[in-house]
Amino acid sequence: MAIKFQYNKTSLQQLEKQLKVRVRTLPIIKNKESALRMEVKRCKTEAADLEDRLEQQIQAYEAMFALWNEFDASLIKVNDVHLGVKKIAGVRVPLLENIDFEIRPYSLFNAPKWYADGIHLLKELAHTAIEREFILAKLNLLEHARKKTTQKVNLFEKVQIPGYQDALRKIKRFMEDEENLSKSSQKIMKSHQEKRKEVEA
C-alpha cells in the first residue's frame, strides 16, 4: 500500500499524526486478537464436549429404540428459544438463555411407565442439539472476528506503520536537502556579493 504524501511540513505533520494513532492502537488490537484467540479455543473445546454429550444421548436413545415405536412424538415440542447477547472482546455473540418445551398432557394410567423418562430424554437431546447450534454460531462469529483482527494487526504491523515511517523519512530527508541547498545557495550568493564589492572597491 503506497502512502500518498507531499514533500512539505503539512504532509509531515499529518503523517506523524496518522503514525501515532496506529502505534497507539496496535497494542489494543493485539490484545483483542489474543482474547479472541483464547475464546475461539475455549469455544472449540465446548463444541467438542457438546458433540460428545449429544453422541452419548443419541446412543441412550437408540438403546430404547424398540420402545420408541410406541412413543407419541407429538407429546413434546420446542415452544420457544430465549436468546441473549453477550459481548466478547467487542464481538456480539448469541447466548442461549432458556428453552421452553411444550408437553401435551397424557394419561399416566394408560401410557407406558417409561413415557416420563422418554420425555425427559427427548428434552435433554433437544436442549443439547440447540445448545450445540448456538456454540457453533458463536464459534463462527468469533473465528471471523479473530481473522479480521489478525488481518488488521498484520496491516498495521507489516504495512502501514513501516509505510508511514518510510514516508516520514523521505520527507525529512527532502526537507533537510532543501535546507542544505538553500544554505549553500545563500553562501554562494554572499561570496558573489563580496567579490562584487571587492571589484567595485
Side-chain angles (χ1 to χ4, degrees), residues 17-40:
K17 205 181 283 181
Q18 291 291 326
L19 180 63
K20 270 183 193 169
V21 166
R22 278 156 181 76
V23 168
R24 247 196 335 256
T25 310
L26 186 61
I28 297 165
I29 299 171
K30 278 185 168 180
N31 286 343
K32 180 179 178 176
E33 186 204 17
S34 63
L36 285 169
R37 196 178 296 278
M38 281 171 47
E39 200 59 44
V40 164

Side-chain angles (χ1 to χ4, degrees), residues 120-156:
H120 179 71
L121 185 63
L122 281 179
K123 252 175 136 176
E124 280 186 352
L125 200 61
H127 195 283
T128 306
I130 292 168
E131 199 176 346
R132 185 174 139 267
E133 288 305 310
F134 267 85
I135 286 292
L136 292 176
K138 178 180 167 184
L139 182 61
N140 285 338
L141 287 168
L142 289 171
E143 191 68 57
H144 178 72
R146 187 201 56 78
K147 280 180 186 169
K148 285 272 190 212
T149 310
T150 303
Q151 285 172 350
K152 202 167 190 177
V153 166
N154 288 338
L155 178 69
F156 275 29

Side-chain angles (χ1 to χ4, degrees), residues 68 71-79 100-106 115-127:
W68 287 111
F71 189 76
D72 181 5
S74 68
L75 284 178
I76 182 170
K77 74 172 186 178
V78 175
N79 212 13
D100 291 340
F101 291 97
E102 186 182 316
I103 299 166
R104 254 191 29 231
Y106 62 94
Y115 259 36
D117 290 338
I119 287 170
H120 179 71
L121 185 63
L122 281 179
K123 252 175 136 176
E124 280 186 352
L125 200 61
H127 195 283

